[in-house]
């Protein structure tokens, strides 16, 4: 296929050289370059409608058979060999509805219930209606010499391209955890998991090729492969959404719903709702990189209790309990933990849950690597048939983090390897560990990697996160005595089933705080109901007490909250004023447990996140959408975080009479406010006529207290 000479733009300045020579959709997509649309051959119908089978219509096209079906979810387009199911991205496939077919001279109508798919024959294009109202249609970006400048559908052998028309003021949301503005209109977004090393660029740890429009349509690409989205991206088409999936198989769901919350529920109906996390997981998690000895760990735990800080979990991060040169092996570093059970028992006496870090790589310096290689449990190098030798790029870490060893990567597509990894957690849970922090999982990046299934590392790069999340969560389900809970960094479509996720490695400054809030809301707009960020920021810490307090205040209204970063993150390591302010917000957080627990339960049932961007909470109030840092915590609390030094905030209250929480002042809605907050002040407002149940003040969550259980069930008066 002759693509012509590509036009260079700013997005590919740092991209792979591959983009200079490739002639595929995938090459241009990965570099951000627009194809020469004059050279793209669109898919066209090659004859009359052929067959109706399994509730779907099969149309003969220049790219092979195109199958179209209609269900309660909307319209599904499929082409190529459907070899995705073994990854279990979908948990449910709605049954196809009965189709009525009307074959006209210039178009075909497929009708099922209130949904109609209109397929224009020459040139091929698609329009979808519900209840007679148009919901979406192929791009109308035209050309002097032909109807479509941007093809409605195109295929180049190993990739598919499709396009949807965008209205002039249409907004688009979703696509996973991203750090810039929530409205994706104008953006180029790539659904491809990265070890992003921060929150400062387009790349991110949690991606999903699912987006939706407040105009009543959404799109979900069911695939493990990378997907590129040009969302009204001007170098491609400012008036179109253009998607490219880098797979021979096409499986597109065009979703039709009436509200933003319905889109999230529909997406989770397809890819899975979250399992209910244990109540104790809502308590504060204390962590840092890292507690170097058992004495340091226990000292921090004792100080938490001595100083009256509300906290439930303490974390042994990567270097805290493993020998970095030989990790990861499920073994304690015996030079520091000769009898780990004594340390765990001491933490339990102090009423702590315990979190351990892991990643799915095994150092070549440990005998376990050779054993797993012999068993065929590691990702292989297709050139040699031997385990792939993963060598870390150490340049980003500098002197800040310990150099990581050459390693093998566990192959979760091998059922025996999966079982081995899952069951290796049993001794840890038997010891009294309560949760796992599942780090990394973005390392299948080399084109020569090959999995047990025969799939390339490139094809399973994204879905590896889902398999990893699932395996570790199942270990907690099977062996934990205190309830299954997981903290994972990387995620793909379906990972929301395994709570919870955290945003990785933000820069410790105000920009890092703001981006972390947007990352949380963005993940929530993409079907991920639960999230936390690293309070205080992960790297480049300048010990800013004001930043630390504001981060804690904002995160106290997320589903989960964790203090973490390079260096100490305990409140008393800042200033007395910062410690007092953080303790005050933690006390409120714990008193809010009855309210938060009710929100958690509803999120598990509906897929609607705890932290709700304004477009999600107030879809009829377009002015509210532009306030992208404030959010609703559940149905009834509006939170306006402070994201700059000095305490200055600007926020918008929708129509109605709002009550400052918990102080009680009344604010009129339908207007913008500006205030300056004292260090211990927050801008939180209760919805008109809302009842916010409050429980007792707690320093940790006791799971067996009848009075507390009554509060948790929302029965407090």
């Amino acid at each position: 296929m002759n693509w012509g000479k590509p036009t260079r733009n700013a997005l590919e300045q740092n991209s792979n050289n591959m983009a200079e020579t490739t002639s595929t959709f995938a090459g241009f997509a990965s570099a951000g370059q627009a194809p020469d649309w004059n050279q793209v051959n669109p898919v066209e119908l090659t004859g009359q409608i052929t067959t109706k089978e399994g509730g779907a219509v099969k149309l003969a096209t220049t790219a092979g058979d195109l199958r179209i079906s209609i269900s309660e979810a909307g319209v599904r387009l499929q082409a190529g060999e459907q070899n995705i199911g073994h990854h279990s991205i979908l948990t449910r496939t709605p049954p196809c509805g009965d189709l009525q077919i009307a074959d006209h001279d210039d178009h075909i109508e497929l009708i099922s219930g209130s949904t109609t798919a209109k397929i224009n024959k020459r040139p091929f294009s698609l329009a979808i209606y519900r209840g007679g109202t148009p919901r979406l249609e192929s791009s109308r970006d035209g050309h002097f010499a032909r109807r479509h400048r941007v093809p409605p559908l195109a295929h180049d052998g190993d990739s598919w391209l499709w396009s949807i028309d965008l209205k002039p003021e249409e907004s688009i949301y979703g696509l996973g955890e991203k750090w810039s503005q929530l409205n994706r209109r104008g953006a180029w977004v790539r659904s491809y998991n990265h070890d992003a090393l921060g929150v400062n660029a387009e790349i991110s740890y949690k991606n999903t090729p699912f987006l939706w429009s407040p105009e009543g349509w959404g799109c979900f690409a069911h695939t493990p492969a990378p997907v590129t989205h040009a969302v009204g991206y001007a170098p491609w088409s400012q008036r179109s959404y253009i998607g490219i999936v880098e797979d021979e198989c096409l499986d597109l769901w065009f979703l039709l719903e009436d509200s933003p919350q319905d889109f999230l529920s529909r997406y989770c109906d397809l890819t899975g709702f979250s399992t209910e996390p244990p109540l104790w997981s809502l308590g504060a998690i204390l962590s840092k990189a890292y507690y170097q000895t058992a004495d340091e760990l226990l000292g921090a735990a004792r100080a938490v209790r001595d100083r009256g800080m509300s906290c439930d979990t303490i974390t042994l991060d990567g270097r805290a309990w493993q020998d970095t040169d030989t990790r990861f092996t499920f073994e304690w570093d015996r030079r520091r933990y000769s009898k780990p059970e004594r340390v765990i028992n001491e933490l339990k006496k102090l009423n702590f849950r315990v979190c351990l870090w892991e990643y799915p790589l095994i150092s070549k310096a440990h005998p376990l690597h050779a054993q797993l290689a012999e068993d065929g449990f590691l990702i292989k190098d297709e050139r040699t048939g031997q385990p792939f030798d993963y060598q870390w790029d150490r340049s980003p870490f500098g002197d800040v983090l310990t150099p990581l060893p050459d390693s093998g990567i566990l192959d979760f597509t091998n059922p025996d390897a999966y079982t081995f990894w899952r069951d290796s957690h049993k001794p840890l849970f038997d010891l009294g560990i309560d949760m796992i922090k599942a780090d990394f999982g973005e390392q299948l990046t080399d084109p020569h990697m090959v999995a047990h299934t025969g799939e390339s590392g490139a094809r399973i790069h994204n879905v590896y996160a889902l398999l990893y999340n699932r395996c570790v969560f199942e270990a907690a389900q099977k062996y934990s005595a205190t309830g299954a809970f997981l903290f994972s960094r990387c995620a793909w479509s379906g990972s929301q089933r395994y709570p919870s996720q955290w945003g990785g490695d933000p820069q410790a400054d105000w920009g890092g705080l703001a981006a972390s809030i947007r990352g949380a809301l963005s993940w929530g707009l993409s079907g991920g109901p639960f999230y936390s960020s690293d309070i205080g920021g992960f790297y480049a810490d300048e010990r800013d007490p004001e930043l630390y307090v504001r981060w804690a205040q904002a995160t106290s209204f997320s589903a989960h909250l964790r203090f973490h970063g390079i260096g100490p993150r305990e409140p008393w390591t800042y200033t007395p004023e910062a410690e007092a302010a953080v303790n005050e917000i933690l006390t409120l957080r714990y008193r809010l447990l009855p309210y938060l627990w009710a929100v958690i339960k509803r999120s598990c049932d509906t897929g609607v996140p705890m932290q709700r961007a304004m477009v999600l909470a107030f879809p009829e109030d377009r002015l509210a959408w532009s306030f992208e840092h404030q959010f609703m915590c559940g149905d009834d609390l509006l939170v306006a975080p402070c994201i700059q030094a000095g305490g200055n905030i600007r926020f918008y209250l929708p129509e109605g009479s709002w009550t400052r929480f918990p102080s009680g002042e009344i604010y009129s809605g339908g207007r913008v406010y500006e205030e300056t907050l004292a260090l211990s002040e927050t801008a939180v407002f209760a919805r008109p006529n809302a009842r916010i149940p409050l429980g007792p003040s707690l320093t940790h969550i006791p799971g067996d207290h009848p009075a507390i259980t009554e509060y948790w069930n929302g029965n407090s008066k």
Side-chain angles (χ1 to χ4, degrees):
M1 182 180 292
N2 177 19
W3 286 85
K5 185 177 180 181
T7 302
R8 182 173 291 276
N9 60 61
L11 273 179
E12 95 265 5
Q13 295 296 326
N14 296 317
S15 64
N16 296 330
N17 291 332
M18 174 186 70
E20 297 291 345
T21 58
T22 188
S23 61
T24 65
F25 290 143
F28 285 97
S30 64
Q33 294 174 329
D36 181 348
W37 300 116
N38 293 312
Q39 303 298 324
V40 176
N41 294 319
V43 168
E44 297 291 359
L45 301 183
T46 58
Q48 298 298 314
I49 187 168
T50 55
T51 59
K52 178 180 175 182
E53 57 180 33
V57 164
K58 187 163 67 174
L59 303 176
T61 78
T62 53
D65 290 336
L66 180 66
R67 296 178 296 282
I68 304 178
S69 59
I70 300 176
S71 70
E72 63 189 35
V75 178
R76 187 180 190 184
L77 270 61
Q78 295 174 281
E81 182 180 354
Q82 300 297 305
N83 57 352
I84 307 172
H86 62 285
H87 294 309
S88 298
I89 296 172
L90 297 182
T91 59
R92 176 177 180 266
T93 302
C96 297
D98 292 332
L99 279 179
Q100 300 177 31
I101 303 170
D103 193 352
H104 303 280
D105 289 341
D106 60 349
H107 72 278
I108 302 167
E109 287 183 337
L110 307 179
I111 304 168
S112 180
S114 63
T115 301
T116 299
K118 179 182 177 183
I119 302 150
N120 294 308
K121 294 181 177 179
R122 285 285 179 178
F124 172 88
S125 65
L126 177 68
I128 299 175
Y129 303 78
R130 177 156 281 184
T133 301
R135 289 295 181 95
L136 67 90
E137 62 179 319
S138 298
S139 172
R140 296 171 60 88
D141 186 337
H143 190 275
F144 283 98
R146 59 184 187 273
R147 184 174 299 177
H148 300 289
R149 185 182 75 92
V150 177
L153 186 67
H155 179 50
D156 73 355
D158 60 4
S159 300
W160 290 85
L161 178 150
W162 66 95
S163 66
I164 301 297
D165 202 58
L166 297 178
K167 295 178 181 178
E169 294 186 342
E170 189 167 2
S171 300
I172 300 293
Y173 297 92
L175 298 179
E177 170 195 64
K178 296 296 176 183
W179 319 114
S180 58
Q181 68 179 37
L182 302 180
N183 180 5
R184 305 294 181 223
R185 184 68 179 259
W188 178 92
V189 178
R190 187 158 164 80
S191 297
Y192 185 85
N193 289 347
H194 282 270
D195 183 351
L197 298 172
V199 298
N200 301 329
E202 186 277 328
I203 57 177
S204 61
Y205 310 89
K206 289 170 277 295
N207 293 268
T208 177
F210 160 61
L211 56 81
W212 54 271
S213 164
E215 299 293 332
W217 67 272
C219 180
F220 169 51
H222 174 216
T223 181
V227 185
T228 297
H229 314 267
V231 191
Y233 175 60
W236 291 34
S237 172
Q238 58 85 16
R239 56 181 295 172
S240 311
Y241 159 60
I242 301 168
I244 294 177
V245 58
E246 297 170 28
D247 200 349
E248 297 176 0
C249 164
L250 176 71
D251 190 3
L252 282 182
W253 295 76
F254 292 123
L255 308 177
L256 308 175
E257 301 294 341
D258 295 325
S259 75
Q261 295 196 12
D262 288 342
F263 276 113
L264 301 186
S265 295
R266 176 63 65 190
Y267 171 75
C268 290
D269 182 58
L270 295 175
T271 62
F273 291 93
S274 177
T275 302
E276 187 176 291
L279 180 63
W280 57 259
S281 71
L282 275 63
I285 301 170
L286 182 61
S287 179
K288 75 172 186 177
Y290 59 106
Y291 295 112
Q292 299 187 39
T293 66
D295 287 342
E296 184 184 1
L297 173 72
L298 291 171
R302 295 183 186 114
V304 166
R305 297 301 179 223
D306 291 344
R307 303 181 79 96
M309 175 188 177
S310 297
C311 185
D312 272 86
T313 302
I314 197 162
T315 304
L316 285 80
D317 211 57
R319 290 170 288 172
W321 75 287
Q322 292 260 308
D323 175 22
T324 301
D325 291 337
T326 59
R327 75 185 189 192
F328 182 81
T329 62
F330 297 96
E331 296 177 354
W332 294 81
D333 182 353
R334 294 292 174 172
R335 295 171 298 180
R336 292 176 293 158
Y337 292 90
S338 59
K339 294 187 176 181
E341 63 276 8
R342 292 184 178 178
V343 178
I344 302 303
N345 289 339
E346 181 66 22
L347 291 173
K348 295 295 182 178
K349 290 177 182 177
L350 291 167
N351 293 309
F352 277 99
R353 313 285 179 174
V354 182
C355 172
L356 292 186
W357 173 100
E358 73 171 58
Y359 70 0
L361 294 101
I362 301 91
S363 170
K364 293 176 66 177
H366 194 280
L368 180 61
H369 182 279
Q371 174 191 325
L372 298 180
E374 182 179 352
D375 292 337
F377 288 1
L378 301 175
I379 295 290
K380 291 183 178 179
D381 189 324
E382 65 176 0
R383 297 166 296 188
T384 65
Q386 298 300 310
F388 192 91
D389 183 9
Y390 187 82
Q391 299 180 1
W392 295 88
D393 176 7
R394 301 178 181 181
S395 59
F397 298 96
D399 297 328
V400 176
L401 298 176
T402 305
L404 303 177
D406 294 353
S407 302
I409 304 175
L410 196 88
D411 186 352
F412 288 105
T413 72
N414 182 327
D416 293 332
Y418 184 101
T419 299
F420 161 79
W421 196 264
R422 182 196 66 199
D423 292 348
S424 293
H425 290 83
K426 183 178 187 302
L428 299 178
F429 286 110
D430 288 347
L431 188 66
I433 302 308
D434 297 278
M435 62 176 278
I436 297 294
K437 172 187 172 181
D439 208 349
F440 292 85
E442 310 95 350
Q443 281 62 53
L444 269 66
T445 55
D446 192 284
H448 298 294
M449 291 177 173
V450 63
H452 172 78
T453 57
E455 296 169 289
S456 69
R459 188 171 194 269
I460 67 168
H461 167 86
N462 289 318
V463 79
Y464 186 87
L466 174 62
L467 303 178
Y468 174 30
N469 299 162
R470 180 189 303 152
C471 181
V472 181
F473 188 79
E474 286 181 0
Q477 282 183 312
K478 189 172 183 179
Y479 299 118
S480 174
T482 57
F485 184 64
L486 171 72
F487 241 22
S488 59
R489 185 179 76 173
C490 64
W492 187 245
S493 306
S495 288
Q496 74 276 355
R497 304 198 288 261
Y498 314 115
S500 176
Q501 290 78 43
W502 95 89
D505 304 343
Q507 186 171 329
D509 64 4
W510 294 98
L513 168 58
S516 294
I517 293 171
R518 293 192 297 268
L521 300 180
S522 174
W523 184 237
L525 290 169
S526 308
F530 308 134
Y531 194 90
S532 178
S533 65
D534 291 346
I535 294 175
F538 183 75
Y539 72 94
D541 183 23
E542 296 183 357
R543 308 304 297 164
D544 183 339
E546 184 183 6
L547 172 69
Y548 176 75
V549 169
R550 298 306 185 194
W551 211 312
Q553 290 169 341
T555 310
S556 289
F557 294 92
S558 64
H560 299 96
L561 71 158
R562 181 179 69 155
F563 298 85
H564 184 63
I566 298 174
R569 287 295 180 272
E570 298 85 0
W572 57 87
T573 65
Y574 290 85
T575 63
E577 294 78 10
E579 179 183 10
V582 169
N583 283 341
E584 182 176 336
I585 195 62
L586 287 177
T587 296
L588 179 60
R589 161 80 178 200
Y590 277 68
R591 291 205 67 198
L592 275 169
L593 281 173
Y595 175 79
L596 300 177
W597 185 237
V599 175
I600 288 280
K601 285 177 168 288
R602 183 169 182 269
S603 294
C604 294
D605 291 338
T606 64
V608 177
M610 175 176 280
Q611 287 177 275
R612 302 170 191 174
M614 298 300 280
V615 67
L616 184 59
F618 300 97
E620 305 303 322
D621 188 344
R622 291 189 67 96
L623 178 58
W625 302 1
S626 62
F627 288 80
E628 293 200 336
H629 294 101
Q630 67 182 56
F631 57 89
M632 292 296 293
C633 172
D635 289 336
D636 294 328
L637 290 178
L638 187 150
V639 181
C642 180
I643 57 172
Q644 62 180 328
N648 297 317
I649 60 170
R650 184 173 181 268
F651 59 93
Y652 169 76
L653 295 178
E655 291 290 342
S657 179
W658 293 80
T659 303
R660 190 74 172 255
F661 180 82
S663 56
E665 298 95 334
I666 303 300
Y667 285 67
S668 297
R671 55 167 293 193
V672 176
Y673 289 86
E674 294 186 6
E675 292 187 3
T676 300
L677 302 176
L679 185 63
S680 62
E681 280 188 298
T682 57
V684 181
F685 303 87
R687 191 190 287 270
N689 302 315
R691 175 179 173 272
I692 309 298
L694 293 175
S697 297
L698 300 169
T699 56
H700 67 281
I701 300 173
D704 57 353
H705 194 300
I708 303 300
T709 302
E710 183 177 344
Y711 279 113
W712 293 336
N713 290 333
N715 296 322
S716 61
K717 297 181 179 180

